[in-house]
Amino acid sequence: MTVTFGSRLRRALDAFGPLCVGVDPHAELLDAWGLGQTPDGLKRFGLRVVEASAGRVAAIKPQVAFFERFGSAGFAALEAVLAAGRDAGLIVVADAKRGDIGSTMAGYASAWLEPGSPLEADAVTLSPYLGAGSLTASIETALRAEKGVFVLGATSNPEAAALQQAIGDGGETVARRVALDVSAAGGGAPLGSAGLVVGATIDRTASGLTDDVLAGMPILAPGFGAQGAGPDDLLPRFGALAGNVLASESRSLLRAGPDAIVETIAARAAEYREARDAH
């Protein structure tokens, strides 16, 4: 029987709550963990975060850029982390933010979403700013392979607002138009397999991302943790949609260090579950 990404994500969210642990091996974190600036340190960091997250949270989100800076050895470390996360039963979101057209976009989709690919993840982040239609191949690949995508909608960085809140010819914000197109392409029940990136610190109303537009879509929400939002902001920011949110935290958790990371993740996950259920 077909099990869609949205269905798997729904089960994981219900079981473990909203927390998504970002695997972001910043240079200073590698040093603080005593691992050093090497591909081996990078791999050991990522595998430790996977180990600490497994059975405690719904998902992890490796930030591809921090692996990519080490070149081919960094990608080899990333492959190991992606595989370990999936083997541990975690939803693995590759934060690659890919966006292109035609056969190039199809190539990216194959790299991140095809079963058996060295970089296989459960979902990948995509940029729609070559036109939401440019993502058709990726969304089709995701649906066929029972994978997911998270498309940049309204992000938490302040400089994005001028573009994402701009009003198009149809009277809609750019972010709203993206959300409508993505929802139409990847909707489903109980949760779609094509979702949106919506920052936890942004004004959803100003971006046109009202509840009716986002209903049934998984939401990947950066902006929690070091960027200022916390578990108590989940319901005020997302309301009835809170149950569909992956709340992404990275540095705020990873700074605990390798010895305290398990307890830190477990405690934070419990805070998010409590916040989600407090209605």
Side-chain angles (χ1 to χ4, degrees), residues 39-59:
D40 180 66
L42 191 73
K43 179 179 175 180
R44 289 165 59 196
F45 179 97
L47 293 179
R48 179 58 177 154
V49 177
V50 168
E51 179 185 32
S53 301
R56 298 177 180 89
V57 301

Side-chain angles (χ1 to χ4, degrees), residues 64 68 75 78 82 94-128 130 134-142 144-145 147-150:
V64 172
E68 190 170 310
F75 272 105
L78 177 59
L82 294 171
D95 195 356
K97 297 183 179 70
R98 297 301 193 245
D100 214 309
I101 59 173
S103 60
T104 308
M105 196 63 217
Y108 283 137
S110 179
W112 297 101
L113 300 174
E114 284 286 359
S117 167
L119 291 167
E120 181 185 357
D122 294 298
V124 66
T125 56
L126 301 176
S127 173
L130 288 175
S134 68
L135 304 180
T136 299
S138 296
I139 295 175
E140 289 176 349
T141 297
R144 174 175 50 78
K147 304 288 190 178
V149 301
F150 288 96

Side-chain angles (χ1 to χ4, degrees), residues 41-231:
L42 191 73
K43 179 179 175 180
R44 289 165 59 196
F45 179 97
L47 293 179
R48 179 58 177 154
V49 177
V50 168
E51 179 185 32
S53 301
R56 298 177 180 89
V57 301
I60 60 170
K61 183 176 69 65
Q63 171 50 258
V64 172
F66 293 116
F67 293 85
E68 190 170 310
R69 72 189 183 96
F70 286 91
S72 61
F75 272 105
L78 177 59
E79 290 171 11
V81 172
L82 294 171
R86 296 180 62 249
D87 287 345
L90 292 157
I91 299 288
V92 179
V93 181
D95 195 356
K97 297 183 179 70
R98 297 301 193 245
D100 214 309
I101 59 173
S103 60
T104 308
M105 196 63 217
Y108 283 137
S110 179
W112 297 101
L113 300 174
E114 284 286 359
S117 167
L119 291 167
E120 181 185 357
D122 294 298
V124 66
T125 56
L126 301 176
S127 173
Y129 292 105
L130 288 175
S134 68
L135 304 180
T136 299
S138 296
I139 295 175
E140 289 176 349
T141 297
L143 296 178
R144 174 175 50 78
E146 298 172 5
K147 304 288 190 178
V149 301
F150 288 96
V151 180
L152 301 182
T155 54
S156 54
N157 54 312
E159 62 270 26
L163 171 60
Q164 294 165 357
Q165 294 178 10
I167 304 298
D169 292 341
E172 299 166 326
T173 65
V174 171
R176 184 181 179 91
R177 184 68 260 163
V178 168
L180 290 169
D181 289 346
V182 172
S183 179
L191 197 61
S193 292
L196 213 66
V197 176
V198 180
T201 57
I202 62 107
D203 182 348
R204 283 200 293 125
T205 302
S207 297
L209 299 180
T210 50
D211 285 7
D212 60 312
V213 174
L214 297 178
M217 297 179 71
I219 298 168
L220 178 62
F224 287 97
Q227 295 184 55

